[in-house]
Amino acid sequence: MASIVVVDPYSAGKGIAPAFAERGVEAIAVLTTPEPPAGLARSWIPENYREVHVLTDLDELAAKLAVHDPIAVVPGTETGVETAEALSELIAPGRSNVLSLSSARRDKWQMAVALRSAGVPHLRQISSDNAGEVAAWLRREGLSESPIVLKPQESGGTDDVFVAQLGDDWRAKFDRILGSVNKLGLRNDRVLVQELALGTEYEVDTYSIDGRHGLAAVWRYAKECRGDRLGIYLSNTLVPADEPVVDVLFEYVCQVLDATGVRNGPAHVEVMITPDGPRLIEIGARLAGAEQQELTMIGAQESQITRMVRHRVDDSSDVWRYTQHQHVKSVYLSSPAAGELGNAVRFDSLESLLPSFQRAVLPYREGSRVPRTIDLWTSLGYVVLATTDISLLERDEAMVREIEAGLIVV
């Protein structure tokens, strides 16, 4: 029986094995750590896999996997990207991405280096473990009196992403990030410092085959700053494929994909449309995470996973632009403080209150202890709305915001 190898099959990657099983392809799991990172553990479903291997020696593991002659080796989530590409090159050369640029698809600093080398517009930034070096760079770049962003080089979900406004103590934020362990279980040995990009942020999800790029979905983020925390999610909206901004984004993203060596498989690219044009926030050579595959199915009747199945099982070479069939929006809820949640009983009636309701992921209920929302990981959850009637979608979003405004945290 045919097989596919999935490295770190967490988050959206949990959907790869079931999709291939429907076509008679068994999945083999490779874990890069003995246990999944704590933030991803709930999405680990070991019973979906014929075999489970834990990475120790790369060459030895490649030899074991090669016996099964897998049709592909793919990452399930961010932590599996580099291992999946290295294994793929050992087992089936040429079926993945440009191996020499693997770090540019994982490390936010190397992304900028790759773009600079290819002449692709990018944000000014520095990677360092020395605050003095950063201060000198800020002076050279004329950014000493400008807002800046500080973040880990390898993380996710806006984990420990800070904005330092004029007059803020950016060094304290630098020291907080440096040496800490992020939500992906990785130690932050360096800090990425960059100019603050202002504009509208988009998620561009692609699928590539032999260096040709297709567009699976474009989503528009609504985020806000709260204090020194950057990237508090408010909503995520599927953009109609014929909106003019989609052409602008896709042209730029194709340059990013080429510059970072993406040739085969999915990519998740976050881009800010600034007054100076598109600028890369980050790229991941993997599926759009969390529930984005299911949401894209609702709005476009396909996903990066369905494209992966056609590519790997049917040997399809077609790449194309998605078509929107429904308006889809995820509305994120947040808490201004940590404490006990009250007045949340309307959460239980969302389906009857909202005609466009699809589903809700709301882990907290009346009386729950909730965290203060500082990033995607500490959100109170989200509500998915979908309909062909945009005015109905807007009314239902307003209702969700009304319920959110009535929440009490004490």
Side-chain angles (χ1 to χ4, degrees):
M1 179 178 287
S3 63
I4 185 168
V5 176
V6 189
V7 182
D8 285 352
Y10 317 133
S11 186
K14 70 181 185 295
I16 295 174
F20 278 86
E22 290 181 3
R23 298 296 306 277
V25 177
E26 292 184 319
I28 297 170
V30 169
L31 311 187
T32 58
T33 55
E35 298 292 335
L40 300 171
R42 286 186 297 179
S43 59
W44 168 227
I45 310 172
E47 57 268 28
N48 283 348
Y49 304 92
R50 171 183 172 177
E51 297 176 6
V52 177
H53 299 269
V54 177
L55 175 64
T56 51
D57 180 274
L58 190 70
D59 292 323
E60 181 180 316
L61 179 57
K64 289 180 180 178
L65 297 173
V67 172
H68 300 288
D69 191 22
I71 59 175
V73 182
V74 300
T77 195
E78 189 73 21
T79 55
V81 169
E82 291 177 294
T83 296
E85 293 177 344
L87 282 171
S88 182
E89 196 62 21
L90 289 171
I91 297 170
R95 293 189 196 175
S96 186
N97 299 315
V98 179
L99 190 61
S100 61
L101 288 169
S102 190
S103 63
R105 298 183 289 273
R106 181 74 180 87
D107 183 300
K108 296 178 179 65
W109 166 248
Q110 294 300 329
M111 292 171 198
V113 172
L115 265 59
R116 183 175 61 207
S117 298
V120 180
H122 59 283
L123 296 173
R124 290 176 290 173
Q125 59 188 40
I126 185 174
S127 164
S128 181
D129 60 0
N130 185 297
E133 182 183 27
V134 172
W137 176 81
L138 291 172
R139 289 192 295 271
R140 287 197 306 272
E141 294 294 326
L143 294 172
S144 296
E145 303 299 319
S146 301
I148 57 174
V149 175
L150 300 95
K151 63 175 76 171
Q153 281 187 212
E154 299 182 42
S155 63
T158 62
D159 176 31
D160 269 351
V161 177
F162 296 96
V163 61
Q165 300 288 355
L166 182 62
D168 287 351
D169 181 8
W170 63 263
R171 292 173 184 263
K173 302 174 187 4
F174 182 95
D175 290 340
R176 172 169 172 172
I177 297 170
L178 186 65
S180 65
V181 176
N182 63 42
K183 291 292 197 304
L184 297 181
L186 303 173
R187 183 171 298 279
N188 299 321
D189 294 325
R190 301 177 73 83
V191 180
L192 191 71
V193 181
Q194 62 186 194
E195 61 181 315
L196 176 64
L198 298 176
T200 302
E201 188 174 352
Y202 293 85
E203 168 192 331
V204 183
D205 298 328
T206 62
Y207 196 91
S208 303
I209 300 176
D210 296 331
R212 293 175 300 107
H213 311 303
L215 190 57
V218 172
W219 298 82
R220 182 182 291 112
Y221 290 147
K223 297 181 180 179
E224 68 177 10
C225 281
R226 294 184 188 171
D228 63 357
R229 300 310 297 253
L230 183 66
I232 307 297
Y233 281 75
L234 302 176
S235 65
N236 195 16
T237 306
L238 182 64
V239 179
D242 58 0
E243 263 197 34
V245 72
V246 173
D247 288 331
V248 175
L249 287 163
F250 190 46
E251 180 181 357
Y252 177 76
V253 165
C254 284
Q255 296 178 57
V256 171
L257 295 172
D258 290 340
T260 57
V262 174
R263 291 189 50 79
N264 286 286
H268 169 75
V269 191
E270 295 179 350
V271 178
M272 186 79 77
I273 296 290
T274 76
D276 296 322
R279 294 293 185 269
L280 178 70
I281 303 300
E282 62 181 71
I283 176 174
R286 42 82 175 173
L287 300 170
E291 308 297 323
Q292 287 303 104
Q293 300 304 307
E294 292 87 343
L295 301 189
T296 303
M297 285 294 295
I298 292 172
Q301 297 182 1
E302 62 169 356
S303 70
Q304 290 171 305
I305 291 179
T306 61
R307 292 187 184 219
M308 183 186 292
V309 171
R310 281 196 291 272
H311 174 204
R312 301 301 188 177
V313 179
D314 300 327
D315 202 24
S316 171
S317 60
D318 294 335
V319 294
W320 63 93
R321 178 182 293 198
Y322 70 99
T323 300
Q324 185 191 46
H325 295 268
Q326 288 196 92
H327 301 285
V328 183
K329 182 186 287 280
S330 293
V331 183
Y332 292 87
L333 302 174
S334 62
S335 173
E340 184 175 308
L341 183 64
N343 203 29
V345 292
R346 295 176 80 187
F347 282 171
D348 300 323
S349 305
L350 290 177
E351 188 167 3
S352 60
L353 289 171
L354 308 172
S356 66
F357 178 86
Q358 293 293 307
R359 67 168 172 270
V361 177
L362 299 167
Y364 304 103
R365 286 294 190 268
E366 187 75 20
S368 296
R369 295 291 301 179
V370 300
R372 180 171 73 95
T373 301
I374 57 173
D375 51 27
L376 188 58
W377 302 88
T378 52
S379 161
L380 295 187
Y382 59 91
V383 179
V384 178
L385 308 174
T387 175
T388 56
D389 184 345
I390 187 63
S391 61
L392 178 60
L393 188 83
E394 291 169 349
R395 288 198 299 272
D396 284 358
E397 180 184 13
M399 175 65 75
V400 175
R401 291 300 176 213
E402 178 188 322
I403 294 171
E404 180 186 40
L407 297 174
I408 300 170
V409 180
V410 293

